[in-house]
Amino acid sequence: MTASGPSHGKGPSPLTEGPHRQAHVDPLAALRAPGDPPWDVYLTGTVFLDIVFTGLDSAPVRGTESWARGMGSSPGGVANMATALARLGLRTSLAAAFGDDHYGEYCWDALAQGEGIDLTPSRSVPGWHSPVTVSMAYEGERTMVSHGHEPPPEEPAPDCPPRARAAVASLVPGRPATWIAQAAARGTRIFGDVGWDDTGAWDLAGLSDLAHCEAFLPNAEEAMRYTRTDSPRAAAHALTEHVPVAVVTLGAEGAYAVDRRTGETAEVPAIAVEALDPTGAGDVFVAGFVTGSLAGWPLADRLAFAGLVAALSVQEFGGSLSAPGWSEIATWWREVPSVEGQDRAALSRYAFLERLLPDDAARPWPLRRAVPTIGFGRSN
């Protein structure tokens, strides 16, 4: 599909535009009622400080010094997912440990004050410094170097997580998380993702928390390895023997999903964009799918929306920096029909956006979010 937006170009980025300048869209407005859980989504994990160097023409070469034309700083790690959810209008609660250094203070403020994320279950840990990732983006790829110590033993994953409509859980082979079963028992809908299995076992039995999940969202390679199948679509169907909804991302080909409960299947092609940095795109995809699921959209709309927000995110540098909000979504929808070479039939796949977007949601394109470095204030 060629429904690309205008190019964002490369180079330094000016100051962050805070969420108070985002158009307010509540995708769950029609569903809210007294007695609902206070949070739409709960998640827990490790927050990194991400420092992103941009405008590199190639990967750094051993024994030489490379100069980047721009850079940005932002919370990373689990903060990528939390930010993506919050910018899509979901009331998001995050449990994480923060260092008591300046990096930790910056990340806490960026998430709590900048994005409106609830950090009540989180805490600042004296004497523990924040994990750091340096990311270098070039030619649509990325190279990362990270540093950090083992989290404190009390790393927040509370035995009794707050009441929430949904939770996003990163499943780890052989390491069940107690909070997942507890949250599911209280009616929280669990959406699971997974990383690369460094053990090489690729055994679904090792993902015991999958039994508590409503949906599982691996990429194609992960799905095929776990199911011992030779195609992503066959893998998706095989996964529904273990979880009601299986969503397999297909990279440049889009995504494929199966809902065992309804018998629905859906396949949506990827949106062709100029990919500047893929950091955090998977988190944004999951956030989009969770948003549509909580809002009760058809499977195909959920899949299309997830693919759209992920595509918008790779046109910006950084992880949480690049997560789009409703203003960017509205701008894309209003601007893309005028971009030369668009496939009108393909664009009609996104017509459901019309009923969601307020008339004043669009803003000038492109939006820049990255801050040059820690310590600068926000633009007003």
Side-chain angles (χ1 to χ4, degrees), residues 130-149:
S130 303
V132 177
T133 293
V134 175
S135 177
M136 291 157 280
Y138 54 91
E139 299 175 349
E141 298 293 338
R142 58 179 173 169
T143 298
M144 297 185 291
V145 178
S146 297
H147 171 73
H149 297 291

Side-chain angles (χ1 to χ4, degrees), residues 295-320:
W297 300 348
L299 184 63
D301 287 355
R302 285 181 267 163
L303 205 60
F305 184 74
L308 169 61
V309 292
L312 293 178
S313 77
V314 302
Q315 295 184 101
E316 292 283 358
F317 288 109
S320 63

